Amino acid sequence: MKIKEILGRGEPTISFEVFPPKTADNYESVKKAALEIAQLKPAFMSVTYGAGGGTSRYTVDIAAALKEQGGVTPLAHLTCVSSTKEKVHQVLGELKERGIENVLALRGDIPADGHVEKDYHYASELIREVKAEGDFCVGAACYPEGHVESENKTDDILHLKEKVEAGCDFVTTQMFFDNNILYNFLYRVREQGIMVPVVAGIMPVTSKSQIKRIGLMSGTELPVRFRALLDRFGDDPAAMKQAGIAYATEQIIDLIANGVNAIHVYTMNKPDVAAKLRENLSEIIR
């Protein structure tokens, strides 16, 4: 099923993200975790794509397993900054063969060694390519706090509009910890005529080390309330896990109460975290 059809129903939905293994040695354990999460019957599940396409084979394999064994609609990530057109078309061909019809088209992060290919520069170019390749439902990323490489938020929204004009069917936000940031973002994008569904990306922070990685990757703002939670529970792993899941639960409830129906949870391949969050929302997202 195409994700635009799922989102078009206008009902509260929860979906989950997993990431593929980096090596064959970890494939079975990652697949097992992904299929455990699939048992929670989310609206769909996304599978990330490693820097430089290094895990592309596993991305397709995990996405196919979710569809064939987990009975869940998969969304395969695809990045382009470190890929040639030949590589992109190879992956799209593999997705077609496995019956995967949803793609999250991303520019991707610049690798640590700085090496990039020259076939693509922007996600909008990849979106057009995917749309031309076949009957894919295409998603894109958006950044409520602005992309770290954008000079300002206005420019960032104009880049988002380019993605929509290139043909993306929905957008998924980077994680955020203050819902007011998203509400302000939604007002600004709708004002610019961007009317595709916006899926809210939520990260249940279950360890102090996660925050360090988040800060390095995205510069995401941490509100005072969230910092207090970290200060109080950050050195107690069990308490931090419980508090992080509770914080994410409250975020989601507030979002749905304010009309943001599509929720995408960055699970970090943790079935227990996904299950507890799902349990907390059992009567809110059915």
Side-chain angles (χ1 to χ4, degrees), residues 265-279:
V265 179
Y266 301 115
T267 69
M268 303 302 291
N269 290 14
K270 296 177 180 177
D272 58 330
V273 173
K276 185 60 181 175
L277 198 57
R278 191 72 189 87
E279 178 188 341

Side-chain angles (χ1 to χ4, degrees), residues 34-215:
L35 289 175
E36 281 187 46
I37 294 171
Q39 291 176 12
L40 301 172
K41 301 302 178 187
F44 61 90
M45 287 179 64
S46 72
V47 186
T48 65
Y49 191 86
T55 65
S56 63
R57 168 190 164 192
Y58 303 122
T59 297
V60 176
D61 287 347
I62 296 292
L66 290 171
K67 179 178 184 289
E68 295 160 7
Q69 299 173 44
V72 171
T73 296
L75 169 64
H77 290 214
L78 180 60
T79 66
C80 65
V81 71
S82 298
S83 296
T84 62
K85 288 198 174 189
E86 180 182 7
K87 175 65 175 178
V88 164
H89 284 276
Q90 174 197 325
V91 174
L92 291 174
E94 292 170 0
L95 293 173
K96 282 183 183 179
E97 288 177 10
R98 307 298 286 271
I100 297 165
E101 53 188 355
N102 301 289
V103 174
L104 191 69
L106 307 163
R107 187 202 70 170
D109 296 327
I110 304 297
D113 63 8
H115 175 73
V116 297
E117 298 291 344
K118 298 180 179 179
D119 287 355
Y120 303 95
H121 299 93
Y122 306 107
S124 56
E125 297 170 339
L126 178 60
I127 291 165
R128 286 193 183 90
E129 197 101 340
V130 177
K131 279 292 187 180
E133 180 68 16
D135 189 25
F136 287 103
C137 174
V138 182
C142 63
Y143 306 88
E145 296 172 74
H147 193 281
V148 290
E149 295 177 24
S150 288
E151 290 189 12
N152 55 64
K153 291 181 180 180
T154 299
D155 284 349
D156 197 56
I157 289 177
L158 292 177
H159 292 316
L160 178 60
K161 193 168 186 178
E162 290 172 2
K163 296 179 189 179
V164 173
E165 291 170 348
C168 84
D169 299 294
F170 65 96
V171 295
T172 302
T173 77
Q174 186 180 58
M175 70 190 78
F176 56 92
F177 297 97
D178 181 348
N179 286 0
N180 288 323
I181 289 171
L182 180 70
Y183 299 142
N184 181 264
F185 174 75
L186 288 172
Y187 175 81
R188 289 184 287 118
V189 299
R190 299 312 187 206
E191 194 176 43
Q192 287 295 321
I194 299 170
M195 305 308 292
V196 298
V198 176
V199 182
I202 298 295
M203 167 75 85
V205 175
T206 57
S207 71
K208 201 172 186 178
S209 61
Q210 274 181 278
I211 286 297
K212 293 178 182 177
R213 292 196 298 272
I214 290 166

